[in-house]
C-alpha cells in the first residue's frame, strides 16, 4: 500500500511539474494562452508561480527565473512528502 501511495504522489507532482513547464513554454508563443487550455493552465499554475514572483524579480526586467525556482521547490516538497509518508507508515 505504501508503494501505491508514493506512486500517486509522484504522479500528481509530475503532472503539476509538466503543467508548469507547458505554461512557461506557452508564454513564448503569442496568443497561445488565450485558448481553453491556456486559460485552464493559468488558473491552475499562476497562483503557485505568483508566490515566487513576489520575491524574485525578473533579471534585467525581462528574464523571469521564478518558474525555475518554483520547480525546484516543487521537487523538494515532493521528496519531503514522500519521506514523511515513509516515516509514518514504515
Amino acid at each position: 500500500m505504501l508503494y501505491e501511495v508514493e506512486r500517486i504522489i509522484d504522479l500528481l507532482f509530475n503532472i503539476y511539474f509538466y503543467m508548469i513547464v507547458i505554461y512557461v513554454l506557452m508564454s513564448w508563443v503569442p496568443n497561445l494562452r488565450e485558448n481553453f487550455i491556456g486559460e485552464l493552465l493559468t488558473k491552475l499554475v499562476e497562483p503557485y508561480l505568483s508566490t515566487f514572483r513576489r520575491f524574485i524579480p525578473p533579471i534585467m526586467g525581462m528574464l523571469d527565473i521564478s518558474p525555475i525556482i518554483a520547480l525546484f521547490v516543487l521537487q523538494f516538497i515532493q521528496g519531503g512528502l514522500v519521506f514523511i509518508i515513509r516515516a509514518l507508515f514504515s
Side-chain angles (χ1 to χ4, degrees), residues 1-44:
M1 172 154 161
L2 177 63
Y3 177 71
E4 294 164 354
V5 172
E6 286 181 27
R7 283 185 45 119
I8 291 171
I9 290 171
D10 287 341
L11 177 67
L12 293 175
F13 274 88
N14 285 333
I15 288 171
Y16 199 69
F17 180 91
Y18 287 112
M19 286 171 55
I20 294 171
V21 170
I22 292 168
Y23 180 74
V24 169
L25 293 176
M26 287 175 73
S27 70
W28 295 352
V29 179
N31 299 325
L32 197 55
R33 288 188 184 167
E34 309 282 321
N35 63 25
F36 174 75
I37 300 294
E39 291 177 6
L40 179 64
L41 284 176
T42 299
K43 289 179 183 175
L44 295 172

Side-chain angles (χ1 to χ4, degrees), residues 26-74:
M26 287 175 73
S27 70
W28 295 352
V29 179
N31 299 325
L32 197 55
R33 288 188 184 167
E34 309 282 321
N35 63 25
F36 174 75
I37 300 294
E39 291 177 6
L40 179 64
L41 284 176
T42 299
K43 289 179 183 175
L44 295 172
V45 171
E46 193 58 42
Y48 178 67
L49 291 179
S50 65
T51 304
F52 296 93
R53 288 192 179 121
R54 277 187 260 153
F55 301 107
I56 306 167
I59 297 174
M60 297 173 49
M62 294 178 57
L63 184 61
D64 184 15
I65 63 165
S66 60
I68 297 168
I69 305 301
L71 289 174
F72 281 128
V73 170
L74 187 68

